[in-house]
Amino acid sequence: MITVRKAAERGGADHGWLQTAHTFSFSNYYDPAHMGFRSLRVINEDVVQPAHGFGEHGHRDMEIVTYVLSGELGHRDSMDHASVLRPGEFQRMTAGRGIRHSEMNASDEQPVHFYQIWLLPERPGLDPSYEQKAFPESERRDAWQVVASPDGRDGSLRIHQDASIHLATLDAGAELTRTLAPGRHAWLQVLKGSVELNGRALETSDGAAVSEESSLSIKAGAPAEVMLFDLA
């Protein structure tokens, strides 16, 4: 079963300095039919204008993964990390018992476009921790590249949940498949371009929940970048 979540149907707002779209209920957007999927709780697509951002605020008991599509995102947190996240780089923050951080556009000239994803952790009260890593684009060209996993396999970030995140960049006409183990579920998010998922058309910023499917076939109509979540 595949359930498509069209980009235009998402919640969100245009605040001037921030254009945000929420796949699932978040902040002032509430839809009881879209509260999350499996351990996925938040998929937000944000564009922050130059020299703006989110001031210091707190989180707890959440696995937070951030991926920048364009621009530069500055990060500071209460664990004394200070960094800039650039295209092709992923950040994983385990909020655990509690953490405070801020996120700002690191540029005075260009907007920053990024996805932020929250997953429920395997248990509450984890030790807060942080990772950031760049993943070479060449290793996901028409191939799956694991960027986050429970065991940090193949150099991926470690998330504290039975879930893995995979990225792929597809040339027009390229096709990828993926087998889902019995009882597993998936979410596909189209970051750029257009694809067909088991024959279902998806455009930029569309997503799709997958259950009770043994295999996935993703074929790019136009050059595309997709993110796939393999979920318990």
Side-chain angles (χ1 to χ4, degrees):
M1 180 174 65
I2 296 176
T3 304
V4 174
R5 178 72 158 142
K6 299 298 290 183
E9 297 171 354
R10 298 176 296 176
D14 185 342
H15 299 287
W17 66 272
L18 167 68
Q19 291 79 46
T20 184
H22 310 317
T23 295
F24 306 123
S25 295
F26 184 84
S27 186
N28 294 327
Y29 168 62
Y30 174 73
D31 182 344
H34 297 284
M35 297 299 296
F37 179 70
R38 312 303 296 178
S39 59
L40 270 173
R41 178 60 189 86
V42 167
I43 301 178
N44 287 351
E45 182 179 6
D46 292 342
V47 177
V48 176
Q49 296 305 310
H52 288 80
F54 306 94
E56 186 177 284
H57 57 284
H59 297 286
R60 65 181 303 120
D61 291 329
M62 200 66 67
E63 298 291 289
I64 300 173
V65 177
T66 305
Y67 178 54
V68 171
L69 297 179
S70 62
E72 299 181 338
L73 184 67
H75 167 90
R76 291 183 179 272
D77 64 42
S78 53
M79 295 181 290
D80 294 327
H81 297 111
S83 63
V84 176
L85 197 64
R86 297 180 173 87
E89 291 185 306
F90 274 81
Q91 174 195 95
R92 187 272 302 164
M93 187 170 66
T94 294
R97 294 189 307 273
I99 191 172
R100 297 189 66 79
H101 77 139
S102 62
E103 297 160 298
M104 305 293 292
N105 188 334
S107 171
D108 291 328
E109 298 178 354
Q110 300 296 324
V112 57
H113 180 193
F114 63 98
Y115 271 84
Q116 187 163 98
I117 295 119
W118 296 7
L119 297 101
L120 299 171
E122 60 192 10
R123 64 183 187 277
L126 294 168
D127 291 335
S129 60
Y130 176 91
E131 289 182 282
Q132 180 175 327
K133 184 174 181 179
F135 292 88
E137 193 274 342
S138 60
E139 295 181 9
R140 59 179 176 270
R141 174 68 61 180
D142 297 335
W144 293 116
Q145 179 185 56
V146 59
V147 296
S149 64
D151 55 2
R153 65 182 179 274
D154 298 330
S156 60
L157 303 178
R158 186 185 175 207
I159 51 176
H160 300 85
Q161 177 54 263
D162 184 5
S164 59
I165 304 175
H166 305 259
L167 205 62
T169 302
L170 301 172
D171 295 321
E175 186 170 359
L176 278 179
T177 60
R178 183 168 180 86
T179 300
L180 287 180
R184 301 294 293 186
H185 306 259
W187 182 279
L188 185 76
Q189 188 70 28
V190 181
L191 307 182
K192 301 174 184 176
S194 62
V195 302
E196 289 187 356
L197 170 62
N198 289 13
R200 302 285 295 274
L202 300 173
E203 304 293 333
T204 300
S205 300
D206 289 349
V210 181
S211 296
E212 300 175 3
E213 299 280 344
S214 60
S215 64
L216 303 179
S217 172
I218 296 99
K219 183 175 182 179
E225 185 175 13
V226 296
M227 186 182 293
L228 179 69
F229 300 84
D230 187 318
L231 305 161

